[in-house]
Amino acid sequence: MVAFGKKLKDRQIEEWQGYYINYKLMKKKVKQYASQIETGGYERRYVLKDFSRMLDNQIEKIVLFLLEQQGILGSRIAKLGEQQEMLQTELDLPRIAFLQESYRDIGRDLLKLLTFVEINAIGLRKILKKFDKRLGYRFTDYYVKTRANHPYSQLQQVFKHVGLGAVVGAISRNLAELDDFQGSYLSIYDQPARPLQDPVIDSIRAAVDRLSHSTNFLTYLGQHALIIHEELPIPNEEHDDDDQRYHFMSLLLNLVNTFLYMVNTYIIVPTADDYSMSLGAAATVCGIVIGAMAVAQIFSSVYFSAWSNKSYFKPLVFSSIVLFVGNVMYALAYDFDSITVLLLGRVFCGLGSARAVNRRYISDCVPLKIRMQASAGFVSASALGMACGPAIAGLLQVKFKIYNITINQNTIPGWVMAMSWVLYLIWLSFSFKEPGHLSQQNQVPEYNTSLTESDTLENGAKQSLLVSSQARQDDVDEDQECDMSEGPSEDSHAPINSIGAAYKLLTPSVKVQLFIYFMLKYATEILLAESSVITSYYFHWTTSKVSLFLVCLGLTVLPVNMIVGSNISNMFEDRQILLASEIMVCLGIVASFHIIIPYTVTQYVTSGLVMFVSAEVLEGVNLSLLSRVMSSRLSRGTFNGGLLSTEAGTIARVIADATITLGGYVGESRLLNVTLLPSLSICILAIIATCLTYNSQY
C-alpha cells in the first residue's frame, strides 16, 4: 500500500505545493519524538507543546492561503458582476456567453480549492492518529478540544469552509441569472428546488457534498452496502471513465436483482414449517430449509465476485436461470413428496445469489457523484424485499391443481418467484448494457471521502476528529511503508484476489466489527427463521399472522435507519451508539426467554421488536465503522470488503438455521430457550470484545 505522503504528493497542485500540510516533515518529527522519549531525551510536556506549535503553524499556513484564494475568486466574481450589470440595458449574446464561460472558469478553480481543503483535512487527521499510535498519547482529544471551539479557531476554517459556500452561491446565482436572462424574473433564491443544469456546478455540488456531508440519511444507508473507497479525492476529469461506464437501466436492473433475491429469501419463512411437515419432516426442519439457501450463498458469493472481474451481464443471466430452476424445484417438491428436492431447490436458489455482482457494479461503474445514492438504493431494495417476501406469502393463501401440479400456500411462493425471474431475465436481456472493464493490473481504486471522512466534515472538527482519530486502525503503519520520496511498490494498488491476502489486512478492530456483524445476523436469523414454529406452538398463529408479524419487522428497517442516520448519529459518537445497541439487543434476547410465567404474545412481540430494531441500529453503525476501519485495498478484487461482510453474515445465518434444526431434537417446548442461549452468549462476547477494543484504543 502506497504511503499517504506519496499519494499526497501525487495529488498536489504544483503551484500550490508550498501551502499543503507538510506531512513528510511531521511524520519524521513523530519518529523523532518516539525515539527521543524511549531514550529519555524529551519530556512529555515538551513533546506536546512542540507538536502543538507545529500543527498550529501548519493549519495557519493552510488557512491563510485558503483565505487568500477565496479573496482572489471573490474579486474575479465582482469584476464579472460589473460587466454583467451592463447587460441590463443592452442585450449582448456574445457577452453573455463570455461571462458564462468566465464563471465556469472560476468554478473550476473553486473545485481545485475544494480538493485542496479536502486533502489537508485528511492529512491532519492521519498525522494526529499517527502521533497517538506511536507515542501512546491521546493527544488528538486535547488538541481538538482546545482548538475547535476557540473564538479564533483556525481549525474550524479547514473543516467548516464557510467562505467557500459563499463563492459557490455567487457562481450558481450568476450562472442561473445569465441562463435565464431572457424573460425570467426569478433568481435561484426564489426557486431553490430548481437545480441549475451546468456540468461545472454539478461537479462543485458533488465536491461540496463530500465536504459538508449534506445527505446524512443517504450516506448512512449507503454505508450498509459497505462499498469501500480510498481516501484521497481525484481530479474531476478522472471521473470521465465512470460516466462512460454508467448506464441507468443497468443500475436499476442490479437493484431489482437485489430486491427479488431478498423476496426469494424471505417469502418461504412463514410457510417453511408447514411445508416440512407436509413432506413428513419435523417442523424444526424449516431451519435447514431456510438455511440451505445461505449455505450455497457462502460459495456463490465468491465465484460471483470473481466473475464480476470480467463481466456483469453474464453472472446476472446465470443467476436468473439458476434461481428459476431452484424455485421450480422448490415448488415441485410437494408433488414429488421429497424433502430432498425441496432442499436442493433452496440450494440452487443460494447458488444464484448475485449480491456480490450488484455491489461491484455500484462500486465500479456508478459515477462518484451518485454512488452514495446508488448504495442507499441497494440497502433500500434489500429492506423492501425483506418486507415484501412475507407479505406476498401471507396473501397467497390458495389451493388448486393445474395438470396434477399442486398450487397451495406452500408451493405458490416457488412458482411466483420462478415467473418473476423469467420476467427479469427477459428484461435483463433487452436492457442491460455491459460496461467496458478496465484490466485488473491497471485498475486503480478511486479516491473518495464520502464514507471515510463523512463524519469529519459533517460535524465539524471537534466531534469528527475525535471519531476519525480512532477510526481506520487498519492503516498499515507508514513507518513500515515506503518514504514519501520513494515510488509506489509494485502491488500498491493490486486488487485482493486471495483469502489469505484479505485476512492479512484485517486488524483486530476489523475482526471485532465483523464478529459484531456475525452476532447481529445470528440473532435476527434466529428470530425470523423460527417465528413460524414458535408462534404456532405458543399462540397458534396462522400463516397470515406470521406474515404480518414479519412484515411489521421488515418495515421498521428504513424508518429506523432514517432516524439514526439523520438524528442519533449527529448526537452521539458511533462507538457509543454501537455499545448501546449491543446492550439493547442483549436485553431483547433476555426478554424473549420463556422461564416461569405463561408466554404471551405481548412478551414475544415486544421483545422481538426491541431486539430486531436494536440489531438494525447496530448493523448500520457497525458497517459505518467497518467502512472506515477496513483497509481501502479491500475496495477492489474478488475478496473485497463487501464480500467479507456478506460471508460473515451468511455464515451466521447458516449456523443459526442449523441451531434451530438441532434444537428441534429437544422438543418444541424447549426450542425457544435452547436457540436463544447461543444468541445471548454470542451477544455478551460481542459486548466484551467491543469494550476491550475501544478501551485499548481510547
Side-chain angles (χ1 to χ4, degrees), residues 488-521:
S489 63
E490 183 178 353
D491 296 329
S492 60
H493 284 299
I496 305 300
N497 291 322
S498 71
I499 188 64
Y503 185 79
K504 291 178 181 178
L505 293 175
L506 301 183
T507 61
S509 58
V510 175
K511 293 175 182 176
V512 169
Q513 301 300 142
L514 288 175
F515 179 69
I516 293 172
Y517 191 67
F518 173 92
M519 178 273 291
L520 68 92
K521 286 297 181 183

Side-chain angles (χ1 to χ4, degrees), residues 146-281:
T146 55
R147 267 66 172 179
N149 293 324
H150 194 277
Y152 305 128
S153 172
Q154 293 178 327
L155 193 63
Q156 288 283 14
Q157 288 287 334
V158 177
F159 288 98
K160 287 297 186 182
H161 49 271
V162 177
L164 293 177
V167 179
V168 175
I171 296 173
S172 301
R173 184 189 68 81
N174 285 291
L175 274 176
E177 187 173 295
L178 289 171
D179 190 51
D180 292 338
F181 202 83
Q182 301 177 9
S184 177
Y185 297 95
L186 299 176
S187 72
I188 60 171
Y189 301 110
D190 300 312
Q191 298 172 301
R194 178 189 170 192
L196 174 64
Q197 300 298 323
D198 190 279
V200 174
I201 297 300
D202 289 342
S203 299
I204 292 174
R205 284 173 180 155
V208 171
D209 277 347
R210 291 200 305 269
L211 286 173
S212 62
H213 192 47
S214 60
T215 52
N216 288 2
F217 177 49
L218 286 179
T219 300
Y220 188 80
L221 277 183
Q223 288 169 332
H224 281 58
L226 204 64
I227 295 171
I228 303 170
H229 311 279
E230 293 223 23
E231 291 186 310
L232 286 176
I234 61 175
N236 185 64
E237 59 268 18
E238 294 185 32
H239 291 306
D240 291 342
D241 288 340
D242 268 351
D243 292 334
Q244 294 174 3
R245 289 153 61 83
Y246 171 64
H247 182 235
F248 173 75
M249 189 58 69
S250 301
L251 172 61
L252 182 61
L253 282 163
N254 273 279
L255 296 180
V256 172
N257 183 280
T258 298
F259 168 76
L260 289 177
Y261 185 79
M262 293 303 291
V263 172
N264 213 145
T265 300
Y266 288 98
I267 194 172
I268 72 155
V269 172
T271 58
D273 58 335
D274 288 338
Y275 205 167
S276 300
M277 290 189 293
S278 69
L279 299 179

Side-chain angles (χ1 to χ4, degrees), residues 257-405:
N257 183 280
T258 298
F259 168 76
L260 289 177
Y261 185 79
M262 293 303 291
V263 172
N264 213 145
T265 300
Y266 288 98
I267 194 172
I268 72 155
V269 172
T271 58
D273 58 335
D274 288 338
Y275 205 167
S276 300
M277 290 189 293
S278 69
L279 299 179
T284 51
V285 174
C286 69
I288 294 180
V289 175
I290 297 171
M293 193 170 178
V295 171
Q297 188 179 343
I298 294 175
F299 304 99
S300 65
S301 295
V302 177
Y303 68 71
F304 272 115
S305 183
W307 200 350
S308 64
N309 291 330
K310 299 179 180 179
S311 174
Y312 298 105
F313 176 69
K314 292 178 181 178
L316 291 176
V317 170
F318 178 77
S319 166
S320 304
I321 293 173
V322 172
L323 281 159
F324 167 77
V325 173
N327 281 290
V328 170
M329 292 177 66
Y330 181 85
L332 290 177
Y334 188 89
D335 293 306
F336 283 110
D337 194 23
S338 172
I339 191 71
T340 302
V341 174
L342 182 73
L343 293 174
L344 286 176
R346 290 294 288 177
V347 168
F348 266 77
C349 289
L351 293 174
S353 171
R355 287 173 65 82
V357 180
N358 306 145
R359 274 196 177 98
R360 286 291 297 276
Y361 185 87
I362 294 173
S363 176
D364 294 352
C365 303
V366 175
L368 189 60
K369 60 186 177 183
I370 63 168
R371 192 172 299 161
M372 189 55 63
Q373 289 92 326
S375 300
F378 176 86
V379 176
S380 299
S382 300
L384 188 60
M386 178 183 175
C388 287
I392 294 172
L395 295 174
L396 300 177
Q397 302 298 304
V398 296
K399 188 175 182 179
F400 58 91
K401 281 194 173 186
I402 301 178
Y403 298 108
N404 295 323
I405 296 177

Side-chain angles (χ1 to χ4, degrees), residues 70-191:
Q70 288 176 201
I72 293 173
L73 294 179
S75 298
R76 290 168 61 186
I77 293 173
K79 291 178 181 178
L80 292 178
E82 294 174 0
Q83 299 180 44
Q84 190 171 333
E85 283 296 322
M86 299 171 59
L87 295 175
Q88 300 294 333
T89 57
E90 181 181 355
L91 183 62
D92 187 344
L93 293 180
R95 174 62 61 180
I96 291 175
F98 169 77
L99 289 174
Q100 286 176 324
E101 191 57 35
S102 297
Y103 280 120
R104 292 189 183 102
D105 287 340
I106 297 175
R108 296 183 186 99
D109 290 339
L110 177 60
L111 277 172
K112 295 179 182 178
L113 197 57
L114 288 168
T115 303
F116 171 83
V117 175
E118 192 171 7
I119 289 175
N120 281 295
I122 297 170
L124 287 171
R125 178 187 65 76
K126 291 185 73 70
I127 199 64
L128 284 167
K129 185 187 74 173
K130 176 172 286 295
F131 184 90
D132 285 350
K133 185 163 63 174
R134 286 298 303 271
L135 277 70
Y137 296 162
R138 289 175 32 163
F139 173 75
T140 300
D141 291 12
Y142 156 76
Y143 188 80
V144 174
K145 287 177 181 177
T146 55
R147 267 66 172 179
N149 293 324
H150 194 277
Y152 305 128
S153 172
Q154 293 178 327
L155 193 63
Q156 288 283 14
Q157 288 287 334
V158 177
F159 288 98
K160 287 297 186 182
H161 49 271
V162 177
L164 293 177
V167 179
V168 175
I171 296 173
S172 301
R173 184 189 68 81
N174 285 291
L175 274 176
E177 187 173 295
L178 289 171
D179 190 51
D180 292 338
F181 202 83
Q182 301 177 9
S184 177
Y185 297 95
L186 299 176
S187 72
I188 60 171
Y189 301 110
D190 300 312
Q191 298 172 301

